Amino acid sequence: MKIVVCIKQVPDTVEVKIDPKTGTLIRDGVPSIINHDDKTGIEAALTLREQVGGTVTVVSMGPPQADVALREALAMGCDEAILVSGREFGGSDTYATSGILAAALKKIGYDLIITGRQAIDGDTAQVGPQIAEKLHVPQVSYVEEIKEATEDYVVVRRQFEDGYHIIKIKTPCLLTAIAELATPRYMTVRGIVEAYEKEIKVLDFEALKDDLELDMIGLKGSPTNVYQSFTKEVKGAGTILKDLSADEAVKAIVAKLEEKFII
């Protein structure tokens, strides 16, 4: 089974700061990590390989520095890493990104594609499903357990509001992983050494252009854009009213609303 995992290198959200003047992320000096859900997907793929055989290829779209995230995935045990990178791809929104990744996946080949549910820097949960639509393969989102897998199908447990679904899906297909799916393993010392001995293949614009919607890539070809980003303002502690009857509480609340000119 050829398993391909799509990952994204994202800023460590604990360290993220926003420029109050421009409303954009301050990335200088901010450490980058593999997106959490994507790392769960890597573990799920490695576990499947151990159970049914095959290979695990990890793919990331981003600037050259995404090489670090790919080598971490190799150190975890992935067989091959591919970087999708080109100036023409810069500024792509989810629609443009999914189109570029779909073109890359056509080049690579796959039986099973695993993506994270969503990235912590965007929280859209759109790229995985959009890839499946553009490749015309079936998909299951919010996968919390892979119960069975063969060359021909996989059986998964899908999280669903207050319950779950058990779904059997033919391959090739795409799954989006949530945190409950797996606990990512640590890199090994040997894995780290070998990861930096392996070559990371790069797919650029020239390699993919025949399978791209050329007017739907990059910033100019993105149908959506971020108008403004800002940090949430810290609110005061508020006032707690204790030991009041219902009538007294109503009077106190009304008085506060009048004091604040809300009513």
Side-chain angles (χ1 to χ4, degrees):
M1 176 179 283
K2 184 166 186 177
I3 308 168
V4 182
V5 186
C6 298
I7 70 170
K8 185 179 183 182
Q9 187 183 53
V10 296
D12 189 336
T13 51
V14 175
E15 303 290 338
V16 163
K17 296 179 181 178
I18 294 178
D19 187 325
K21 293 183 179 178
T22 64
T24 58
L25 290 176
I26 300 173
R27 294 182 179 268
D28 293 340
V30 178
S32 294
I33 58 175
I34 296 176
N35 182 59
H36 297 309
D37 286 349
D38 301 347
K39 206 166 187 178
T40 298
I42 293 172
E43 178 58 37
L46 294 173
T47 301
L48 275 179
R49 184 189 64 188
E50 293 164 0
Q51 293 172 351
V52 302
T55 60
V56 176
T57 300
V58 62
V59 179
S60 183
M61 175 177 153
Q65 54 264 38
D67 173 277
V68 177
L70 290 168
R71 293 197 186 277
E72 182 178 347
L74 289 172
M76 289 174 66
C78 294
D79 300 289
E80 182 185 21
I82 297 173
L83 176 63
V84 179
S85 186
R87 290 187 178 276
E88 296 87 350
F89 305 151
S92 294
D93 68 354
T94 60
Y95 186 87
T97 296
S98 63
I100 296 164
L101 285 173
L105 288 163
K106 286 180 183 178
K107 287 278 186 184
I108 298 165
Y110 52 85
D111 295 308
L112 175 64
I113 304 166
I114 302 177
T115 74
R117 169 188 53 180
Q118 61 194 59
I120 58 176
D121 62 345
D123 284 338
T124 64
Q126 294 173 351
V127 173
Q130 286 175 344
I131 290 173
E133 288 297 313
K134 290 175 180 178
L135 291 175
H136 306 292
V137 299
Q139 60 175 291
V140 180
S141 57
Y142 292 81
V143 173
E144 62 181 10
E145 181 185 358
I146 299 175
K147 300 182 74 66
E148 184 183 353
T150 72
E151 292 285 347
D152 300 318
Y153 66 87
V154 292
V155 179
V156 301
R157 173 176 167 136
R158 178 184 187 269
Q159 188 182 85
F160 180 73
E161 296 181 354
D162 58 348
Y164 61 89
H165 294 153
I166 300 295
I167 301 174
K168 182 178 180 180
I169 182 171
K170 291 183 178 180
T171 57
C173 61
L174 181 144
L175 311 177
T176 75
I178 61 175
E180 291 81 358
L181 178 59
T183 300
R185 66 189 66 187
Y186 290 105
M187 296 180 286
T188 64
V189 174
R190 180 177 178 179
I192 294 170
V193 173
E194 291 179 350
Y196 280 87
E197 292 175 346
K198 291 183 178 180
E199 178 185 357
I200 291 180
K201 183 178 180 180
V202 178
L203 293 178
D204 59 11
F205 174 76
E206 288 298 319
L208 301 177
K209 64 181 181 181
D210 291 340
D211 291 311
L212 293 173
E213 296 178 81
L214 297 181
D215 57 343
M216 297 298 287
I217 63 171
L219 184 61
K220 291 183 178 179
S222 296
T224 59
N225 60 76
V226 178
Y227 174 71
Q228 183 182 18
S229 298
F230 55 90
T231 54
K232 186 177 179 180
E233 294 183 5
V234 179
K235 294 183 178 180
T239 302
I240 299 175
L241 302 175
K242 293 182 177 180
D243 302 322
L244 298 179
S245 67
D247 290 341
E248 290 171 337
V250 169
K251 289 179 181 179
I253 292 170
V254 170
K256 277 292 181 184
L257 293 174
E258 289 175 340
E259 179 184 328
K260 300 289 185 180
F261 299 101
I262 296 174
I263 60 174

